[in-house]
Structures are given as structure tokens and as C-alpha cells.
Amino acid sequence: MAWTKWSYMDHWVTETPQGPQPPSFNRAYMDRYVKELSALGFTGFDTFFFYLPLYAGMYGGVPGFERFLQDNGFEKITGIFSAYPSATKYAAPHVRETHDRIVADCTNTLRMCEGLTGVENFIVMPTSTYWQTEPVTDDTIKVVADLWNRVGELTRRHGMTTTCHFEFWGAIRTREQVDTFLAHTDPELVRFFCDTAQHTIAGVDPVQLFRDYADRCTGFHFKDTKDVDEHEAYRTPPDPELMAPQVTRWFYEMGEGGLVDFPALMKEIVASGYDGWLTVEHDKAELGGGSYAEATAVAKWYIDNVLAEAEAEARAELGSAR
Amino acid sequence: MRDTLRWAYALNQWNVRLDVFVRHEDQQRALKTVSACGFDTIELASGTGRWDNISRPEVILTNHGSHAGFLDFLRRARVQGVSSMFWDPQAPAEEEEGYAFRSTADPDDADAIVEWSRPFVDFVAGVGAEQLVVRPVGSAWMTPPLDADGIKRVGDVWNRVGELTSAAGIGLAVHYDCLGAVHTEAELTGLLDATDPARVGFALDTAELTVGGIDPVAFYRAHADRVAHVHLKDTRHADTGEEYRMPGAESTMLKGGAGRRIERWFFELGTEGGLVDVPGFVAALREHDYPGWVVVESDHGGNPAELAMLNSWYLQHELGIAK
Amino acid sequence: MTAPERAIKWSYMDHWRSNGPSGPVDQWHSRKTMSAFLKQVKAVGFDAIDTFDFRIWQMYGDYGGPAKYQEMVQDHGLERIVNTFHAADYDVRNYAPHVPETHEAVFEDFRVTMGRWSEIRLDNIIVMPATLFYDMEPITEDKLKYSAECWNKVGEITAGFGVKLTCHHEFFCGIQSEPDIETFYSYTDPRYVNLFVDTAQHCIAGLDPVALYDRHAHRVSGFHFKDTRHVATGDDHRHRPDSEIMAPTTGKWFYEMGTDQGLVDFEAMMRAVRDNGYRGWISVEHDKANKEGGDYSESTAISRWYAKNVLEEIYR
């Protein structure tokens, strides 16, 4: 049976009378957005912590927003993404003195999620930008690990799993750094979230990484890239994601000739026995004239045709092995 | 624009979302567009974080090294300088205590807001701009109605910031917007009365006043001595149903989420059905020898290049101003 | 902006898209969109517009003919319509410059076309002087000669209406290489056949547009100033049905002048225009500017910014 638990990461831009805007422009645009996702067959919805107050305002609370999703065929809100991409004097994961503040912020986010059906992942960027954090030493990583152990304990009490999503421009980006971080964190409290494009850009093979940490992996961003960072773009201040001199667009939807071997990953996922949500993400899909609606439809076509075949092959192999 | 009035153009409509208008080449294209339309001075608007690198003083300086470096960047596109910068302390920013939510209506927040203003005061002075333009108070739907004491408290915060701007040799102008808790003409006049005319001016936005039910021409004539800054834009609608009081009015009213479902309120000069008497207003500025900047805006509109070009056409061909 | 002492005036070639409630539309969508287009072109300092022949039906249908349409153009502060581009659908069976048997159909087309335009003054009628490359290959001297004979006669017809016939060599048409262009002009009559230099098209075809212009300056009657970031490779020039869209090298051949990474040396071009003593119109074009996230309004403003701040510093 084909994988049914596909969720969509909440990046979307659509034309409005005020120019291209997120669908939170108003409820009519949210209606269209959610129906489009539902029509493609997504049943899980991941969103950002900073959208929660907005959705709460529009739907009378985050649970009200989830009911709206459910009215349109979704099962539930599956993941919440939280981050401090820019280090400030108030919040920076590598600065221990700011940890109380970050934990308090996370507590507020978790409060907003009370009454939901069952958010599974509390996805975090473990660090701020590399250029604000460097030098990245084992001690730096240890400080960061201590923070997420704390947050992991907190989210567990709320039924959510803290899981770390490593950006190519974050302070934990190489294979060695990821290994060190995962070694310093409690495997029960801090999990691994595999963003296929981010790892590929950082020169880390996402399939091998998943193979090595399958027991700690609680989710994926299935997105593609066409470039490995070969020019230390990850150190570009203030932002490597949009300002790298050599690459104007890092991220692409699946199926557009990128570097990630998604069928291989799919087979690895099946072989591992992972049975959680798989998430489609393609942030900044509008760059160079792209359209979120089209990118999402093309990605879902790829899921339904290419990945479904890979999955079926993997299941057949698994069956014959038994 | 070759005119006795000084014209500038606001960049806000280019920076309409979190992750756009970040690359320098995109910013150069906007600056060249503005320049080709005949404007050699721009207004900036505040923002937050690494992606607001033409909006947040600290991030601008990270990008360009210094005030002079930023001005060099503008001058590559033949834009000569900055007229003003807009700042809303009620809009949470990560640089302001990590997205702290504060309001000038709350006396406990006054010290923090005055402190938050410092990077803007320094930046406006540093780039040789004239006015720090501020949203004096948050949205009406978020707070209980302001009585006279409340308005005075708001005014006091701006008097304190006005001391900083005066010391830095720049002006401070409080800007009226159609959602603000200072909404009626009486409240607005009350706020002006509560602020020190030597230190705090008024930023008159023609469309915002019109939406809010205040005639910009009449208001200008009555308060010309306080008007230190102008935003010139048009609207096709007035808020005749007190939609500004709806919860989430930023979306429910200004993006048509509820009420009359008007999805776009602000338009370019010369728009069909525009409610602002633009020629009358500009004539009034001339009559009073208005000395400040007139900033043409296309915020909450559509395609920014198209709107800048249509606004330029209007100035040249309807107002007879040579480019 | 239209001071008479200027040697160069700027015209805008009418490619355009804007976003409307029903998606992207061109300026001919309605009088309102036309007005917005003309206002924008004028606002950034263009003096006039160029147009296409096939627009004449909309001019008649929507505006009452070319003269009435030109009045609307003038109402927006623009001087006039300077050039028209005759975008013919060549067909080797009945309408092809290199096929002499079809020439009478070409001549008749121009007699009729010029009549339709006769109510306004045009400087040039611009043609692609050959069919698509794949419909003409192999390119032989005879075919170039037949083509030249065709345009000599057409030029005589258009001259009778006071309009210059001028040739615009697309990189994908049958006369696009340097030797073929030279041969073609050696057979054409300078009184009747002019060259219209499209900086990007020649650059894509591997020619230096400045050198080409310098060689033929005496018979150059206009320019499309536009840029490209790519030179055609392999058989880019012979992709069916349309190399401008189908060639594998790039999804976007054309950019507004002043673009980053542009291959055309516009400053050298402008110096050549000055040194050859050219006076008159330069047309700015950036067809398909909206591809890959581009925007016509922005490209038009930026190209005019470049003309004003870079090129007019050289020659104006």
C-alpha cells in the first residue's frame, strides 16, 4: 500500500490584489490553499511557530484552525517548526545565558498547541547562523545540546518530540558536527529530522545520514537542491539562504533534476521500518518565476508515481527477504 | 523631480514578505526603478532580522559596513539619499527584546520603547535623513479606547523620543494610520496637543486619513505648522462601518477578511475612483510653503515597479512637475 | 525630455505583460491597460513607441485605426509611433523571400500593409528578412540573392509610402551568420533595403553587433537595444517550432539592457552610434521579460535608467 502519511510544510505564496502574499492574507485565501493541498492528497500539516498567533486569530485558536484543516480532509497538525536563525542578545542557542528565555518561548508555543489532536514533532533549528556562532567547537555543540535536552524534556511532557533540523548555514552542519551533537544529546529526548536538501548542500549524504540515525529520525523534509555549497556560502552574513553570491535559489521541489536521490531514500525508509509522517517542503519556490501551487502538484506527482514505485519495490524486497 | 516641493519614494511595497527583497541585486533594481521614475531620495521602513537588510538599521550596517557604505550602495543606482525612516515599535522585532510586544499606550513599556528608538535615531542621523516617522500607537482593536490621559501617556513617550531626535539633529513625526488607536480627528488633535511642537511633528498620510474619515486637505490647512512629513497615496474606500474595530483588522479590514471584504484599500495617484483630492492637497502644501519631504507610497498595492511608474506619470502629467 | 537639440530619442517596442485579476494580460487587453502601459513608458522618459503590424486590427477595432490610436499615444505625452514590425508567417509554399515563385504574394502583402498604415507617419517597417533557418537551409548564395531581390522590390514599395524597409536578423532566421549577412547586403540596393541592428539577436548569433553596425552604418535605420546572457551553441538556431522558446541552451534569451552578466557592450555601441553620426531613434526592446520571474514594468524602468545614466553620458 502506498504511503499515506504525507504532510505539507507551510510555505506558500499566492497572487492577491496586494501582490504575492502568503495565504494568511485572509480566510478566503486560506480556504483555497488548504483545498489545493487536500486535493493533492496531503493529510498532515506542518507549520511555523510564528504563524500560530495568526491562525489562532483567524480561527479562534489553534485548535479552531486544526478543525478547519480537518473539515477539509486533513488528519491533523503534524509538526511545529521553531527557530532562532539570527542570534540576538536575547536568544542564541550557543549562549547558555539565553537558554531560559528560549525555554520560555518554547513553553509559550506549546501552550498555543494545547487541545490539538496530536502534534508529533517540535522541529527546531538547533543553532543560529554559522557566522554568528563560529568558532564552532565541541564545547559550543555541548552548550547547544544542553539546551535541546531541556527543551526535549519539556516537549515530551506535552506529547511532542523535539527533533533537530540542520541547516546548511547553521553552526551544526558537517557530518562530524551532527555526530557530535547527537552524541551529546539524550537519544530519548532529542531526535533527528532529515532535510534532504539542507544536508546535500552542506555536503552530507542525507540517505547515509538517515541510515546511520534511523532509530533517532522522526521526520523528513523532502525537498531538492541543485547545488552543493562549494564556496563557503554558508558563512555569508547576514544570510546565506538568500544572499549567497553564487547561488540565487537553493531549493527546488522533487522531480526537477536535483541532486537528492529520493527513490533511494524512500527505499531506505521502508527498509528501516519507519512509519511516521513524510513532509514535502519547497521553500522559496517562487524564485525565478516558480509557483507554489505548481511546485506542490509536481512534487505530489513525483510522490504518486516515482516514489510509490520505489516504495513498492522496497516492500517487495522486504517481503522476499522474509 | 525638479520642483519646489521635495519628493521622495517609499520602498515599502518592494519588501512585502518575510523572504523577499533580500539580495542586493534585487534592491538595486528597485532603486534604479525609483530613479528612472524621477525620484532621487527614498524612504525606508523598519523590519526585523537577517532578511530585512534594507529595513533594520543593524542589518543594513552589517551589509554595508557603515552609513557611508549604505549611501554608496544607493548612489550606485543614482539614488542620492534617504529622506526618512518609518518605525512601528508595536510591531514585534527580534532586535527589540526578542519579539517583545509593547505598546506606547502602556506606561510600563515607555522606557523600553524609548530605548528601542536609539538604533533608528542613530541610523536616520547617520545617513543624513531628516525624519524618523513613527507609528505612535498600536491598533485600536487591540486596546481599550484611549481617554485623554491615555493619549497624554502616548504623547509623553514621543516627547521623550523627540528629545533624542532633537539632540541628534533630526525630526520626529508621528504618523496617522487608519487602524490606530488614535483614530478620530479629536483624538489625533489630542495627540498633537499632547506632544511638544518643538520636537514632535505630524506625518500626514493622505490615504490613511481619508480611510479614517478625516479630510487630509482640511486637516493639513488646520495643522500646517505641525506637519513635518507627508505620505502621498490614494484610496478608493473610506472606513464607513468602523471596520477598524474588527479583531485582526490588519487582515479582516485591510486584506478583506471580513466586513465589506475589501481586499485592497490603497492605490496609486490618479486611480479611478480615488477619494483623495491630490491636486488640492499638493496645492495646499504649496500655499503653505511646506518645507518637508513628500513621500509617494505604494504600500499595500500591487506590482511596485508598475505603481512607481504610474505615480511618476501622475506627478509629471497631472501635477505638471518636471522629472 | 523632448528637447529638440537631442541627437537621440528613445522609443519602446511594445512587448508587455501585467498581472490582472484573470492572470497576465498584455496592454491591448483593454483601454485601461493600454493607458497604464503608455503612462509607465512615458513616466520613465521614453519619447515614443514602436509596434507590430498585427496590432493594426486591434487599432482599428478598439481605437478606430492607427491615427486614432496614435492620438491616444500622444494624449499620454508620447510623440508618436515610430516603427512597426512586420511579423509575417513565412511559408515556403506561398510566402518566402528565398523562393522567387512566392514573391508576388510578398509584394502584394506589402502594398496592402503600407496602405493600412498610410494614415500615420512611420520611419521604418521592420522585417525578418528570411524564413526560419530550418525552412531555408542549406543557405546558398542563390537563396540569399533571391531574398535580396525580394526585399529590393519590397523596399521600393514601402519607399513609395515614405517608409524605410529595414531588416532585423533574428538568430534563428535563415540570414543570421556574418558571411550570410554580408552576402545578403551585397545584393541589396542601399536605396531600398536598410539594416536594423538588434544587439541581442546578433550577439546570440555570434556576431559583434558593434562591428556589424560600423560596417553598415550608412544603411542602418534603427536599433533594438536589448541584452542577452547567452550565445547560441550547437543547433540552437534551428529548433522547431521556435528557437526563441525551444532552444535547450536557455529558457530566457533576452534581458533588458543594463542587466548583470549581459554580453552586449552597450557603451561601445553607443560610442559607435555617436562616431557614425547617427541621429534619430533608438528602440528599446526586451521581449519575454516576464520569463523566470521577470517583470516588464521593472525591466522598462531599468532600461531607461541605463539609457539615461550610462548611454546618454556618451551621446545624447
Side-chain angles (χ1 to χ4, degrees):
Chain A
M1 192 187 75
W3 207 279
T4 54
K5 292 164 80 171
W6 283 99
S7 67
Y8 185 75
M9 181 65 205
D10 186 11
H11 299 273
W12 196 268
V13 174
T14 187
E15 267 310 314
T16 76
Q18 297 187 26
Q21 294 283 339
S24 53
F25 185 75
N26 71 36
R27 280 178 56 152
Y29 284 80
M30 286 300 292
D31 260 8
R32 293 153 55 108
Y33 166 47
V34 166
K35 283 174 180 162
E36 287 168 58
L37 293 178
S38 181
L40 291 174
F42 290 97
T43 52
F45 190 85
D46 280 29
T47 190
F48 293 95
F49 77 105
F50 54 75
Y51 276 154
L52 295 178
L54 200 61
Y55 292 152
M58 293 174 93
Y59 296 92
V62 179
F65 173 60
E66 188 182 56
R67 280 193 294 279
F68 158 70
L69 290 170
Q70 288 165 339
D71 288 346
N72 285 286
F74 279 79
E75 191 177 315
K76 62 179 184 175
I77 296 175
T78 38
I80 302 293
F81 194 102
S82 181
Y84 295 91
S86 302
T88 64
K89 62 180 173 181
Y90 311 103
H94 67 289
V95 179
R96 201 181 291 279
E97 295 70 32
T98 70
H99 287 186
D100 287 351
R101 165 63 192 266
I102 292 174
V103 171
D105 286 352
C106 292
T107 305
N108 282 336
T109 300
L110 292 166
R111 278 195 192 120
M112 294 209 75
C113 296
E114 282 170 8
L116 291 177
T117 303
V119 178
E120 300 188 7
N121 282 322
F122 188 80
I123 311 158
V124 299
M125 285 185 191
T127 71
S128 305
T129 56
Y130 189 92
W131 71 272
Q132 287 175 303
T133 310
E134 62 183 333
V136 179
T137 64
D138 277 10
D139 282 348
T140 315
I141 294 175
K142 177 76 170 52
V143 171
V144 174
D146 288 348
L147 167 67
W148 299 117
N149 280 333
R150 276 181 74 186
V151 173
E153 177 62 37
L154 174 73
T155 62
R156 185 163 70 169
R157 291 203 297 272
H158 286 77
M160 286 185 218
T161 303
T162 292
T163 183
C164 293
H165 174 282
F166 301 89
E167 278 64 32
F168 80 89
W169 44 266
I172 299 174
R173 50 184 304 282
T174 66
R175 179 62 203 251
E176 294 71 25
Q177 289 163 341
V178 172
D179 289 341
T180 305
F181 175 76
L182 290 175
H184 282 309
T185 45
D186 183 336
E188 295 303 312
L189 298 177
V190 179
R191 301 302 192 96
F192 158 58
F193 194 94
C194 183
D195 184 304
T196 52
Q198 298 278 10
H199 289 304
T200 301
I201 297 168
V204 174
D205 176 0
V207 181
Q208 185 63 45
L209 193 62
F210 170 66
R211 198 177 288 133
D212 295 344
Y213 288 105
D215 56 333
R216 286 183 77 171
C217 183
T218 63
F220 302 83
H221 279 164
F222 274 60
K223 78 174 175 224
D224 213 342
T225 183
K226 297 180 180 178
D227 296 278
V228 174
D229 176 11
E230 289 168 343
H231 301 93
E232 293 201 355
Y234 68 89
R235 299 179 69 182
T236 311
D239 171 59
E241 222 172 332
L242 287 169
M243 294 187 67
Q246 289 87 4
V247 182
T248 54
R249 178 177 173 180
W250 289 104
F251 306 130
Y252 292 84
E253 65 272 21
M254 286 184 279
E256 287 297 293
L259 299 175
V260 177
D261 186 349
F262 291 106
L265 178 63
M266 195 68 200
K267 288 179 179 176
E268 202 66 46
I269 288 170
V270 171
S272 75
Y274 176 88
D275 63 355
W277 289 88
L278 305 179
T279 305
V280 168
E281 184 183 46
H282 28 251
D283 30 335
K284 305 173 187 71
E286 83 285 5
L287 287 175
S291 134
Y292 273 93
E294 188 180 74
T296 308
V298 167
K300 195 58 171 55
W301 180 93
Y302 187 86
I303 289 167
D304 295 345
N305 293 276
V306 182
L307 294 188
E309 193 177 319
E311 184 192 344
E313 281 173 22
R315 289 200 190 286
E317 282 169 26
L318 213 56
S320 63
R322 284 181 187 136
Chain B
M1 293 292 167
R2 285 177 285 155
D3 191 23
T4 49
L5 290 170
R6 296 187 297 155
W7 295 89
Y9 208 90
L11 289 187
N12 45 17
Q13 184 58 21
W14 276 269
N15 195 15
V16 288
R17 297 196 310 278
L18 186 67
D19 56 0
V20 296
F21 206 49
V22 180
R23 292 186 73 88
H24 289 178
E25 59 262 36
D26 293 343
Q27 296 167 0
Q28 281 288 318
R29 291 177 72 85
L31 294 167
K32 286 179 180 176
T33 299
V34 166
S35 167
C37 288
F39 300 91
D40 65 1
T41 308
I42 52 162
E43 177 171 289
L44 303 173
S46 67
T48 179
R50 64 196 167 128
W51 285 336
D52 266 334
N53 63 7
I54 197 164
S55 306
R56 179 76 207 179
E58 299 90 325
V59 191
I60 296 175
L61 295 174
T62 302
N63 271 261
H64 301 286
S66 64
H67 298 119
F70 178 61
L71 290 172
D72 285 346
F73 175 74
L74 300 182
R75 287 169 188 161
R76 270 168 52 195
R78 307 294 191 275
V79 168
Q80 299 306 325
V82 181
S83 59
S84 41
M85 187 163 196
F86 180 84
W87 173 51
D88 174 7
Q90 281 81 205
E94 66 184 24
E95 294 84 354
E96 292 161 359
E97 296 172 62
Y99 298 103
F101 194 86
R102 294 194 184 276
S103 167
T104 51
D106 183 343
D108 291 343
D109 289 343
D111 290 349
I113 289 173
V114 172
E115 192 58 31
W116 290 356
S117 73
R118 291 182 188 275
F120 291 94
V121 174
D122 292 346
F123 185 81
V124 169
V127 295
E130 287 184 18
Q131 295 288 336
L132 175 60
V133 184
V134 296
R135 189 176 192 218
V137 65
S139 294
W141 69 271
M142 291 185 180
T143 50
L146 286 172
D147 58 15
D149 284 347
I151 288 175
K152 183 166 181 319
R153 281 198 300 274
V154 171
D156 285 344
V157 175
W158 297 115
N159 284 332
R160 289 177 61 189
V161 175
E163 288 175 22
L164 299 180
T165 52
S166 294
I170 60 171
L172 174 69
V174 294
H175 176 272
Y176 174 93
D177 70 81
C178 64
L179 301 185
V182 169
H183 187 80
T184 66
E185 187 159 354
E187 288 164 347
L188 177 57
T189 307
L191 177 64
L192 294 182
D193 290 344
T195 50
D196 176 358
R199 296 199 172 105
V200 182
F202 179 53
L204 188 157
D205 184 311
T206 51
E208 299 276 5
L209 280 180
T210 302
V211 174
I214 301 172
D215 176 351
V217 181
F219 193 88
Y220 175 70
R221 289 187 187 285
H223 301 275
D225 56 329
R226 293 299 301 275
V227 175
H229 198 70
V230 166
H231 283 171
L232 192 61
K233 61 179 187 258
D234 207 345
T235 176
R236 293 184 185 170
H237 311 282
D239 178 15
T240 51
E242 299 209 330
E243 291 187 32
Y244 77 102
R245 291 186 187 278
M246 290 192 292
E250 287 78 5
S251 170
T252 48
M253 173 177 156
L254 284 187
K255 294 175 180 171
R260 285 181 291 165
R261 308 290 304 272
I262 296 167
E263 293 189 336
R264 180 178 168 187
W265 290 73
F266 299 115
F267 288 83
E268 71 280 6
L269 307 176
T271 190
E272 226 175 275
L275 299 180
V276 175
D277 176 7
V278 179
F281 180 77
V282 172
L285 293 178
R286 293 190 194 288
E287 282 167 31
H288 287 82
D289 294 324
Y290 168 73
W293 285 99
V294 188
V295 181
V296 183
E297 273 197 312
S298 43
D299 65 324
H300 296 92
N303 178 339
E306 181 178 358
L307 295 171
M309 292 158 86
L310 292 173
N311 280 324
S312 170
W313 193 89
Y314 186 90
L315 294 193
Q316 293 178 62
H317 296 276
E318 299 296 334
L319 298 182
I321 299 167
K323 197 171 76 172
Chain C
M1 275 184 293
T2 52
E5 70 273 16
R6 283 190 304 151
I8 297 299
K9 289 196 275 190
W10 297 89
S11 183
Y12 182 76
M13 178 67 195
D14 87 344
H15 304 272
W16 199 257
R17 292 286 185 286
S18 61
N19 274 329
S22 54
V25 294
D26 71 29
Q27 74 273 41
W28 296 88
H29 179 75
S30 68
R31 291 180 76 94
K32 205 163 143 181
T33 55
M34 178 59 76
S35 177
F37 160 71
L38 295 170
K39 283 177 179 174
Q40 290 173 71
V41 168
K42 175 64 185 171
V44 293
F46 285 96
D47 302 288
I49 60 164
D50 288 8
T51 191
F52 287 99
D53 257 359
F54 58 78
R55 293 300 189 191
I56 204 158
W57 305 111
Q58 277 155 303
M59 290 183 199
Y60 278 110
D62 296 345
Y63 299 94
K68 289 290 179 197
Y69 172 67
Q70 184 166 266
E71 281 177 24
M72 181 180 184
V73 171
Q74 290 164 337
D75 286 345
H76 287 77
L78 293 157
E79 209 170 295
R80 64 186 174 96
I81 301 167
V82 180
N83 303 309
T84 188
F85 195 103
H86 191 74
D89 267 335
Y90 292 123
D91 184 329
V92 290
R93 294 167 302 183
N94 52 38
Y95 192 111
H98 70 276
V99 183
E101 297 73 30
T102 69
H103 282 184
E104 190 46 44
V106 178
F107 304 151
E108 184 57 19
D109 175 33
F110 275 86
R111 290 183 197 106
V112 173
T113 298
M114 298 318 294
R116 288 193 193 115
W117 282 104
S118 59
E119 57 182 62
I120 66 167
R121 168 193 159 202
L122 289 173
D123 287 16
N124 290 295
I125 184 161
I126 309 163
V127 297
M128 180 168 84
T131 65
L132 299 171
F133 192 93
Y134 57 71
D135 278 340
M136 187 167 163
E137 63 183 334
I139 314 296
T140 64
E141 179 139 359
D142 277 352
K143 287 179 186 171
L144 294 169
K145 186 161 177 286
Y146 296 145
S147 301
E149 286 167 2
C150 174
W151 297 117
N152 283 339
K153 177 65 182 169
V154 171
E156 203 177 335
I157 294 168
T158 67
F161 289 87
V163 180
K164 287 181 177 170
L165 184 275
T166 189
C167 298
H168 176 278
H169 299 261
E170 279 78 354
F171 77 90
F172 52 83
C173 83
I175 308 175
Q176 43 85 277
S177 73
E178 190 158 314
D180 291 346
I181 287 176
E182 296 303 324
T183 304
F184 172 72
Y185 282 99
S186 74
Y187 284 119
T188 54
D189 185 337
R191 290 175 301 166
Y192 297 127
V193 181
N194 300 280
L195 168 62
F196 197 91
V197 177
D198 183 306
T199 51
Q201 295 281 7
H202 292 303
C203 204
I204 294 168
L207 278 74
D208 174 357
V210 182
L212 178 73
Y213 169 54
D214 276 336
R215 283 199 299 279
H216 296 280
H218 59 289
R219 56 196 299 186
V220 167
S221 65
F223 304 85
H224 278 162
F225 271 29
K226 75 172 178 235
D227 212 341
T228 183
R229 295 179 181 172
H230 304 277
V231 172
T233 58
D235 63 352
D236 275 353
H237 60 296
R238 48 208 287 275
H239 265 268
R240 292 175 188 274
D242 181 352
S243 288
E244 264 186 14
I245 294 167
M246 303 297 288
T249 295
T250 178
K252 179 167 175 166
W253 285 105
F254 305 128
Y255 290 82
E256 77 281 351
M257 59 176 179
T259 190
D260 286 344
Q261 304 153 46
L263 298 180
V264 175
D265 185 347
F266 284 104
E267 293 180 52
M269 194 73 204
M270 202 65 188
R271 285 192 294 272
V273 169
R274 175 193 67 198
D275 296 345
N276 283 298
Y278 179 87
R279 297 181 68 83
W281 294 92
I282 292 176
S283 303
V284 170
E285 183 180 46
H286 30 255
D287 29 334
K288 306 184 179 72
N290 57 330
K291 285 190 132 187
E292 299 183 2
D295 173 63
Y296 270 99
S297 295
E298 185 185 69
S299 288
T300 303
I302 288 170
S303 64
R304 186 67 189 97
W305 181 94
Y306 188 83
K308 176 174 186 287
N309 291 289
V310 181
L311 301 184
E312 289 183 353
E313 295 297 311
I314 296 168
Y315 183 47
R316 54 193 307 159

